[in-house]
Amino acid sequence: MTVRVRQVHLLNVERCQPEPAELWDAVTEQQLTDWENEWVPELLKAIERLEREGIESRHWPQSSHWNWRKKVEALRGMLASPGFSIVCDGLTQGMMIVDTVKKRCRIDNQKGKPLVYVEFVENAPWNRRELCDSPRYRGVGSILMRAAIELSVESEFGGRIGLHSLSQAHDFYAYLWHDGPWRRF
Amino acid sequence: MNTRKTMTLNLTEAEMQVLGSLSEKKDLSKTALLRQALRMYQLIEARLENGEKLFFEDEKTKEKAEVMML
């Protein structure tokens, strides 16, 4: 499999400076290994901490049951379901799987037109404000959303994308829509 | 996007008309439409091979009709 790698930048929160990163147009074995060896233990630690602090389980990460290996293996080789990932500091910082076939636009003036539908998108646990006091990197979600929009443009879908967000992520998408880089498209 | 290769496609007049009309309806070039059709065909084929069935459902009556793929 040929992976296209593009240079991007994430914001290193501690240094308050941009740091070079890579946007891959695939989720490879390297990402799945990072997920198993780095993400899952970190996520479990964060959940244990939330539990100790008496946070109700409905406030725990809603994506914590996602098994990226199963998802990627089920979709391997499928043209309709490309994946993307961001690598920075030698580690996977975010992953996304989109669908280009099964969903269509619903709003009246675009009804029935094709779009890129974001099936799954997740940030590494150490970048999530709800899981750690000082996230390492910012910009992962925005770059992945931009990748979905660029795929939509390349596929001649006019930049149209769609998703159903987990309720914990509503604020993020509201930010992108009203104030964020989304406005440029 | 990965490097692309070019191929010549031989279509009948009727097939060409359908391709033209669908690409206009979907606001896609003929290449983009065929690429989209290939993605869909691969997806359907994989799910059928996996033992699943393909249905169309009437939105109002909820009546289901299986699409027989032989």
Side-chain angles (χ1 to χ4, degrees), chain A residues 99-117 152 156-164, chain B residues 25-28 36 59:
Chain A
D99 177 88
T100 56
V101 163
K102 296 198 295 285
K103 302 279 197 304
R104 294 174 180 198
C105 293
R106 290 184 182 184
I107 56 175
D108 285 340
N109 64 350
Q110 299 176 353
K111 206 173 175 73
K113 294 209 168 154
L115 52 68
V116 169
Y117 182 81
S152 173
E156 299 186 20
F157 298 172
R160 294 182 294 267
I161 68 167
L163 57 84
H164 290 88
Chain B
K25 186 177 170 188
K26 295 291 171 191
D27 201 13
L28 297 172
Q36 185 70 346
E59 219 171 318

Side-chain angles (χ1 to χ4, degrees), chain A residues 65-118:
Chain A
H65 64 286
W66 288 1
N67 184 324
W68 280 93
R69 182 168 290 283
K70 279 190 181 168
K71 289 182 195 306
V72 169
E73 283 175 359
L75 297 170
R76 194 180 300 282
M78 299 307 298
L79 298 173
S81 305
F84 294 86
S85 51
I86 295 180
V87 177
C88 186
D89 193 27
L91 274 181
T92 303
Q93 304 293 338
M95 291 186 277
M96 174 173 76
I97 296 174
V98 301
D99 177 88
T100 56
V101 163
K102 296 198 295 285
K103 302 279 197 304
R104 294 174 180 198
C105 293
R106 290 184 182 184
I107 56 175
D108 285 340
N109 64 350
Q110 299 176 353
K111 206 173 175 73
K113 294 209 168 154
L115 52 68
V116 169
Y117 182 81
V118 179

Side-chain angles (χ1 to χ4, degrees), chain A residues 79 101 155-157, chain B residues 7-11 15-16 18-20 22-23 26 28-42:
Chain A
L79 298 173
V101 163
S155 306
E156 299 186 20
F157 298 172
Chain B
M7 67 174 284
T8 306
L9 196 61
N10 291 308
L11 296 178
E15 289 163 344
M16 202 63 194
V18 171
L19 180 58
L22 273 175
S23 57
K26 295 291 171 191
L28 297 172
S29 67
K30 293 182 178 74
T31 301
L33 187 106
L34 286 172
R35 204 180 285 138
Q36 185 70 346
L38 184 61
R39 291 172 184 148
M40 199 175 292
Y41 193 10
Q42 187 201 29

